[in-house]
Structure formats: C-alpha cells, structure tokens
C-alpha cells in the first residue's frame, strides 16, 4: 500500500521543487531590482525588462521562464500562484485531498501518470494496459467528502465552446455571450483499455489544455507544454462531430 502511494508522493516532491525554484527566482530578482532602483548596482537589460513588465501589469519573462504556462496578467497571475502554493501546502500538511485541483500543477500529465501508476501498483496490472475512464459528477469540490475507491477526483476544468448540463449529464449548447463554463468534479477511473477505448458512441474525445491558446511545443519529456490529454465526455443529443466543429475543449485555467 505504501508503494502504491509513493507515485503521488514523488509527483508532489517534484512539483514543490518547481515552485520553490520559481519563488527563489522571484525573491532574487525583486531584491536585485530594488538595489538597482536605489543605484547600488547597474540596471541590467534583464532587470530593465522586468521593471517595464511590472509597470504594465505583465508577468516578467524571467519569472515566466521559471514558472508554469499562463496567459494571466500580473495581478491575476500572482493571486493564482498564491492559491497553487496554498493547495500544495495543504496537501503536505493534511495529506492527499479527496479531490485534486488540477490547475495547481506545473505538469498535470505527470499527476495523471502518477495516479495511474498508483492503481497499477496496487492491483499488479501493467500500467501500459490501463487508461482512464472519465465520469463527470454532479458535485462541486465542496460537496466531495471522500475520495473514490479507485482512481482520483479532480476539479478546476473549464469547458470552452459548449457548457455542461448537470441534469442532462452531457454537453449542450452554450448560453448567449457565455464563453466558458466551470465543470463539476471529474472522476478519472482506471480501467483496462481495449480496442474500443476512445471510440465509444455517444462520447466526445474532448482535448484538455492548460491555457486557451491551445498551442504548445514538445518539452524534453516528449509531452506538449500545453496539451494534457483527451477526456471522454458524453456528447448528449448532438453528434460528436458537432462538438468538433464547435472546437469544444477543456481548459485548466482562464486568461483573466
């Protein structure tokens, strides 16, 4: 059982290392900028660019290079950073939550792999034969009082190009002037995949991205810096091609 939990523990350790590096970079550059403004050191090109970014409410490049992918302006970005750190701190001090805030992570793909590996180790099933079945629940994060017997609950996703109807339990057309809708808690349930996985009728293979640009590059790990994975979402009365034409996707965070 301890071995099964090590995967998420290792993932948390890696995430905290990334956040610590970002916070150290922010502290160091802010101290250097203060000294440069006082005339104690030379204002370098990097510090000047950082100052200009702060004045125009943009995230300095020196921070974004050490940070996670985000399109938020400076104020929203900092508020989001504090919330992410508080979520991980709560995980460390109080143990794994019943539902995980997917938007908090540098590398959501790593979290999903760790969750799948946790199940594979506990059941002695080869991880390359497993996949996640997706089930959108009716509960909000505050309604969750206990984690699932297998797999994980996560929240923090927004649907773009459609909306989720809790009563229908499927995707439906957006309301007028409604661009994004917050999704309920989603259950990632590990199953042994077969040749029909991802092609079940009545389910839309919804791409899940970190940010709304939907564009990314391949990192050194071989994963996209933006695309996370596809999730199978009930398509309701509409054909799945309808949602493809609508460019429906899930986002882990908005731009504001």
């Amino acid at each position: 059982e301890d071995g099964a939990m090590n995967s998420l523990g290792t993932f948390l350790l890696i995430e905290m290392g990334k956040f610590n590096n970002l916070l150290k970079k922010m502290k160091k550059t802010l101290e250097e900028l203060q000294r440069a403004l006082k005339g104690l050191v030379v204002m370098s090109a990097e510090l000047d660019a950082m100052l200009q970014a702060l004045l125009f409410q943009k995230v300095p490049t020196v921070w974004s290079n050490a940070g996670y992918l985000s399109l938020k302006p400076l104020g929203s970005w900092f508020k989001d950073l504090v919330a992410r750190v508080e979520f991980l701190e709560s995980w460390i001090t109080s143990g794994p939550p019943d539902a995980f805030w997917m938007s908090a992570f540098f590398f959501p793909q790593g979290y999903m792999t760790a969750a799948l590996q946790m199940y594979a180790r506990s059941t002695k099933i080869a991880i390359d034969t497993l996949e996640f079945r997706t089930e959108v629940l009716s509960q909000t994060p505050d309604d969750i009082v206990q984690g699932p017997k297998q797999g994980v609950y996560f929240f923090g996703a927004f649907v773009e190009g459609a909306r989720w109807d809790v009563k229908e339990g499927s995707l439906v057309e957006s309301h007028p002037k409604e661009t994004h809708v917050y999704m309920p808690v989603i259950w990632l349930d590990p199953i042994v995949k077969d040749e029909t996985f991802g092609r079940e009728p009545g389910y839309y293979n919804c791409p899940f991205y970190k940010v709304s640009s939907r564009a990314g590059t391949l990192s050194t790990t071989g994963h996209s810096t933006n695309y996370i994975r596809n999730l199978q979402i009930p398509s309701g009365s509409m054909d799945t091609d309808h949602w493809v034409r609508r460019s429906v996707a899930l986002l882990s965070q908005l731009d504001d």
Side-chain angles (χ1 to χ4, degrees):
E1 184 178 353
D2 291 338
M5 291 303 298
N6 279 341
S7 299
L8 282 177
T10 301
F11 169 78
L12 175 60
L13 187 65
I14 295 172
E15 285 287 311
M16 287 306 302
K18 291 179 179 294
F19 276 101
N20 284 335
N21 288 336
L22 172 58
L23 295 174
K24 288 177 182 177
K25 175 64 73 173
M26 292 173 65
K27 183 175 185 291
K28 179 181 177 182
T29 52
L30 284 172
E31 290 174 346
E32 290 177 349
L33 181 59
Q34 286 179 322
R35 296 183 66 197
L37 291 173
K38 292 177 181 178
L40 300 177
V41 296
V42 176
M43 177 74 77
S44 66
E46 183 181 75
L47 290 178
D48 183 59
M50 176 181 169
L51 177 61
Q52 295 302 314
L54 294 175
L55 291 174
F56 287 98
Q57 285 295 300
K58 296 180 180 180
V59 180
T61 302
V62 66
W63 293 359
S64 59
N65 286 343
Y68 44 84
L69 186 63
S70 177
L71 301 178
K72 294 179 181 289
L74 180 62
S76 300
W77 181 87
F78 184 75
K79 183 179 180 180
D80 179 62
L81 171 63
V82 172
R84 290 176 185 235
V85 173
E86 288 177 345
F87 173 79
L88 293 182
E89 183 181 20
S90 174
W91 184 352
I92 292 172
T93 56
S94 304
D98 297 323
F100 292 83
W101 183 29
M102 188 70 74
S103 312
F105 305 136
F106 265 76
F107 192 47
Q109 299 98 317
Y111 164 76
M112 291 187 172
T113 300
L116 209 59
Q117 190 174 48
M118 183 176 70
Y119 177 79
R121 288 179 174 176
S122 64
T123 58
K124 305 298 188 289
I125 299 175
I127 190 172
D128 57 354
T129 65
L130 297 175
E131 259 295 355
F132 279 127
R133 180 185 70 86
T134 306
E135 182 176 336
V136 183
L137 309 181
S138 59
Q139 293 102 315
T140 66
D142 293 335
D143 297 329
I144 300 298
V145 295
Q146 186 177 4
K149 292 183 179 180
Q150 65 180 40
V152 290
Y153 292 149
F154 84 87
F155 62 95
F158 297 83
V159 61
E160 182 178 61
R163 66 182 175 89
W164 177 259
D165 190 297
V166 176
K167 292 182 179 179
E168 295 290 335
S170 66
L171 293 172
V172 295
E173 292 288 358
S174 301
H175 291 308
K177 300 181 181 179
E178 186 178 60
T179 57
H180 302 92
V181 176
Y182 193 66
M183 292 287 288
V185 173
I186 297 176
W187 177 22
L188 297 179
D189 179 26
I191 60 170
V192 177
K193 61 185 176 183
D194 56 24
E195 63 276 0
T196 65
F197 181 81
R199 295 194 293 271
E200 296 94 336
Y203 284 85
Y204 169 57
N205 282 317
C206 187
F208 190 15
Y209 297 95
K210 296 179 184 177
V211 296
S212 63
S213 62
R214 307 194 186 190
T217 58
L218 285 180
S219 63
T220 54
T221 61
H223 294 84
S224 170
T225 55
N226 194 0
Y227 171 76
I228 300 174
R229 66 178 293 134
N230 281 358
L231 298 178
Q232 285 68 48
I233 307 293
S235 57
S237 59
M238 298 292 185
D239 188 81
T240 55
D241 289 340
H242 174 79
W243 302 121
V244 173
R245 291 191 294 270
R246 282 280 192 269
S247 299
V248 173
L250 294 177
L251 308 176
S252 72
Q253 59 177 298
L254 302 182
D255 300 346
D256 51 11

